[in-house]
Amino acid sequence: MIFITIFSTWLTNRLNATLLLQRENNMAYKTVSFKLPTDYSTNSLRAKISKELGIKEFNFEIENKSLDARKKTNIHWLVKVVVNSPELKHGEDFKRDELIIPYKRRNKKVVVVGSGPAGFFNAFALQKAGFKVTLIERGSDVKKRGQAIQNFARGGTFDAKNNYAFGEGGAGTFSDGKLTSRSKRISHEKQFILSRYVEAGAPEEIMYMAHPHLGTDNLRKIVKNLRVEFEKLGGEILFETLLEDIVFSNSTVKEVRTSNGNLQADALFIAPGHSAFETYKMLIRNGLPFRTKNFAIGSRMEHRQELINKAQWGCETLPGVKAAEYRVTSKADGKHQVFSFCMCPGGIVVPAAAYEKTNIVNGMSFYQRNGKFANAACVAGIHPDELAGKTVSPIDAINQLQKLEETFYNHTQSYSAPACSISDFIAQKSRNSNLKSSYPLGLTAAPLWQMLPTPVTQAMQAGLIDFNRKMRGFETGNLLGLESKTSAPIQVIRERNGLVEGYDNLYMIGEGSGYAGGIISSAADGIKAAMHFIGE
């Protein structure tokens, strides 16, 4: 059983201000931790605090909350709270963990490309600092984008501007909305991001949950509210505007050419995500330095959520907890690591093609995570050179990946997902064609073990056998389609602040740069680049 480790996240700016005021009024505070039943109430927590500290008059805020499920017979919440009270004689010190963005009137014009987490928070920070920021997005606003995606999921036509990859908010808007990050060097940025999400309508629990998530339903509202705030600050956002070219004077960006006209720029920040293949190719043609790197591909696994709950908890439901998660890894064949990625409890598998006549899948969950199925990517880490059997250039790596995505479309001549059972994939035999799934466009029974590159198939088979040993009933699930968007196969060569090597005012940020992954780390990458430019 996986133990959900507590990742410390300090209090909101509001709580910091409240505690400071109370400190000035001789109200001390203390932190205290409890083990609580999964269905505990606020009143029961208050009673615990009162008894532990021997006080009656107090306020409290939750600082951290995580689920300890190491023992199925004793699953409980680990809750750390900050308590403040005039009855406390001795208090504790606390520190502010805030990102300070210095404001002054500035005349420089900045263009930011891409409205995903990296691009948006980069543009937001620059606008707060006083720059004149124009944010361009190849897709439409989130409402129009949502309508196009809904139409596609019902069997309608594919929209090249508005899909699960492109449009306001980036790919993360139509996902589970996970807000975890492995980086330990972004605490100030992370606090800033989470606070902005709460102000835009996110549940306050994201400030303290060990594994916070927003759900796609919350994210669609949040990205709109953030955009409105950006515009109130004076920022401009241009939808349905594609970056087509860049005009340089030696190593300096002078002009940005888009599908809707040209923009003057004193600085350009590009946050394209890892699906914008034509943008990558344009940048490479312009001489930007890229290199190939390891990435991961595979398929998406899907199980009944009750099976995952039982494997993780020992029961099919657990009061006070939405749905069980899992994270599994394996050394597999000894040459490639195989791991689960982007696990969506109670979620659905979605058709995530970024381009017409390509067929890939991804996962998405709503905030309540109350769907019948659980899904996660099962991918193997690999290098583009190994896939090709020779050394390849960055453009070759992109073309190779795009060709693979096209072969999955060609197999069905549609956006139906090629699929097989996990047990059939391991045995390399087609035995079970009665596959149940959340995927909206239907499944087509297919030998995925033949469709994926041989080294990926071999590694996944070894990895899935290992997963079966770790989680009872795991082999009864299914594998769907091609999962090819865990990360980019190429990486720009840049400085730590995001500035592209050899250029004066050109930055690449977020997942598309090859240095970030996920909502929080991508947004933080954008903020760090903005703060560097602000400090120049």
Side-chain angles (χ1 to χ4, degrees), residues 99-283:
L99 180 73
I100 306 300
I101 300 177
Y103 171 82
K104 67 178 182 181
R105 294 181 65 88
R106 309 172 198 258
N107 295 322
K108 288 185 177 180
K109 297 179 180 179
V110 178
V111 175
V112 180
V113 179
S115 68
F120 177 82
F121 277 97
N122 173 266
F124 188 82
L126 290 168
Q127 189 63 43
K128 281 182 71 69
F131 291 99
K132 298 177 181 179
V133 182
T134 300
L135 174 61
I136 68 172
E137 166 57 51
R138 66 190 294 160
S140 303
D141 64 80
V142 71
K143 181 179 179 181
K144 186 175 180 180
R145 180 187 182 193
Q147 291 170 343
I149 287 175
Q150 187 177 56
N151 175 64
F152 180 49
R154 291 174 175 172
T157 57
F158 174 81
D159 189 329
K161 290 182 179 178
N162 295 300
N163 47 62
Y164 285 97
F166 302 139
E168 184 176 18
T173 303
F174 291 83
S175 69
D176 182 58
K178 292 178 182 61
L179 301 178
T180 51
S181 174
R182 296 178 182 177
S183 176
K184 297 180 180 180
R185 297 191 297 271
I186 58 170
S187 59
H188 290 72
E189 292 82 6
K190 183 176 181 179
Q191 183 71 17
F192 180 83
I193 297 160
L194 295 178
S195 296
R196 301 293 81 72
Y197 278 143
V198 170
E199 290 174 4
E204 289 194 9
E205 68 179 34
I206 68 171
M207 304 300 298
Y208 57 78
M209 290 294 290
H211 285 179
H213 73 283
L214 292 170
T216 183
D217 44 344
N218 279 325
L219 269 165
R220 297 177 208 184
K221 301 172 186 176
I222 289 166
V223 296
K224 176 186 175 182
N225 292 338
L226 288 172
R227 181 226 310 164
V228 171
E229 183 62 25
F230 171 68
E231 291 174 331
K232 284 181 180 179
L233 291 171
E236 180 183 27
I237 184 164
L238 304 177
F239 291 113
E240 301 182 18
T241 301
L242 177 66
L243 171 65
E244 293 185 337
D245 206 353
I246 305 170
V247 177
F248 295 94
S249 175
N250 297 320
S251 59
T252 303
V253 174
K254 291 296 183 181
E255 187 176 72
V256 179
R257 293 181 176 174
T258 81
S259 57
N260 288 321
N262 299 341
L263 298 170
Q264 299 300 312
D266 294 302
L268 174 61
F269 294 79
I270 304 176
H274 52 44
S275 297
F277 289 163
E278 74 271 70
T279 300
Y280 274 139
K281 293 176 182 179
M282 178 273 292
L283 295 174

Side-chain angles (χ1 to χ4, degrees), residues 358-360 401-409 484-485:
T358 62
N359 192 332
I360 62 174
L401 184 58
Q402 189 163 16
K403 184 177 181 180
L404 181 61
E405 294 172 358
E406 289 170 353
T407 64
F408 273 70
Y409 179 89
S484 59
K485 301 300 183 186

Side-chain angles (χ1 to χ4, degrees), residues 301-321:
M301 306 178 285
E302 189 170 47
H303 298 81
R304 287 278 182 179
Q305 183 63 53
E306 290 90 343
L307 183 144
I308 301 300
N309 291 353
K310 194 166 184 178
Q312 297 292 74
W313 301 337
C315 54
E316 292 188 354
T317 60
L318 191 64
V321 187

Side-chain angles (χ1 to χ4, degrees), residues 34 36-37 39-50 60:
F34 299 102
L36 299 174
D39 59 349
Y40 79 91
S41 66
T42 301
N43 287 339
S44 65
L45 178 53
R46 286 193 66 88
K48 284 266 191 183
I49 295 170
S50 179
F60 73 92

Side-chain angles (χ1 to χ4, degrees), residues 7-28:
F7 290 97
S8 179
T9 301
W10 196 241
L11 301 176
T12 62
N13 294 341
R14 178 175 61 81
L15 177 57
N16 274 331
T18 300
L19 292 176
L20 183 61
L21 178 62
Q22 291 167 340
R23 183 76 181 257
E24 291 172 349
N25 291 328
N26 298 318
M27 292 180 69

Side-chain angles (χ1 to χ4, degrees), residues 295-368:
F295 71 123
I297 58 175
S299 296
R300 187 146 284 256
M301 306 178 285
E302 189 170 47
H303 298 81
R304 287 278 182 179
Q305 183 63 53
E306 290 90 343
L307 183 144
I308 301 300
N309 291 353
K310 194 166 184 178
Q312 297 292 74
W313 301 337
C315 54
E316 292 188 354
T317 60
L318 191 64
V321 187
K322 296 173 187 176
E325 304 177 57
Y326 66 82
R327 185 179 293 113
V328 285
T329 63
S330 173
K331 294 181 180 179
D333 58 0
K335 295 180 291 184
H336 309 88
Q337 184 184 37
V338 174
F339 55 95
S340 61
F341 179 82
C342 186
M343 199 267 160
C344 297
I348 60 176
V349 182
V350 297
Y355 296 94
E356 190 174 13
K357 294 186 178 181
T358 62
N359 192 332
I360 62 174
V361 295
N362 209 325
M364 181 178 78
S365 296
F366 293 92
Y367 175 68
Q368 291 299 334

